[in-house]
Amino acid sequence: MQDYKVTNDRTEILAEETHLSELLTLLSAAVDDPVEGLAGYLVTEDPTYLPEDTEIKMMIRTLGRDRLLRLILARVLAVSGACDVSEED
């Protein structure tokens, strides 16, 4: 298991956010229920839960399951107001 450090580098945060947004947009366009497919992949790491779209699979492999989960959680926490991942210390 890789260790991921939390960063406050705005450029890195924006790049990861952009990558996640692009991935979610592609998933939404490719399948009726992107949440079900993404959840299945995150739980099992089995790519059969993902659409056959090569670009989607490449983006997910580039991010990796652990990083993807961290990005999604950070977005949820930021939207809920539990934390602000975009602020610098």
Side-chain angles (χ1 to χ4, degrees):
M1 181 175 187
Q2 288 182 311
D3 291 329
Y4 293 103
K5 65 178 182 173
V6 176
T7 181
N8 286 330
D9 179 352
R10 287 186 186 278
T11 305
E12 196 172 325
I13 291 169
L14 287 174
E16 288 182 341
E17 279 291 318
T18 300
H19 202 92
L20 179 60
S21 293
E22 290 172 5
L23 175 62
L24 295 176
T25 299
L26 286 172
L27 273 172
S28 295
V31 294
D32 292 333
D33 189 358
V35 172
E36 184 178 324
L38 192 54
Y41 172 75
L42 289 172
V43 169
T44 65
E45 207 168 358
D46 182 354
T48 59
Y49 284 96
L50 303 171
E52 288 299 315
D53 187 292
T54 306
E55 187 175 5
I56 292 172
K57 287 189 177 187
M58 182 184 72
M59 289 177 81
I60 287 177
R61 270 182 266 179
T62 299
L63 279 173
R65 187 180 76 163
D66 294 339
R67 187 179 211 181
L68 182 59
L69 187 55
R70 184 180 62 81
L71 288 170
I72 292 169
L73 280 171
R75 182 177 281 190
V76 167
L77 291 173
V79 168
S80 72
C83 72
D84 186 353
V85 294
S86 63
E87 284 187 17
E88 294 184 71
D89 289 332

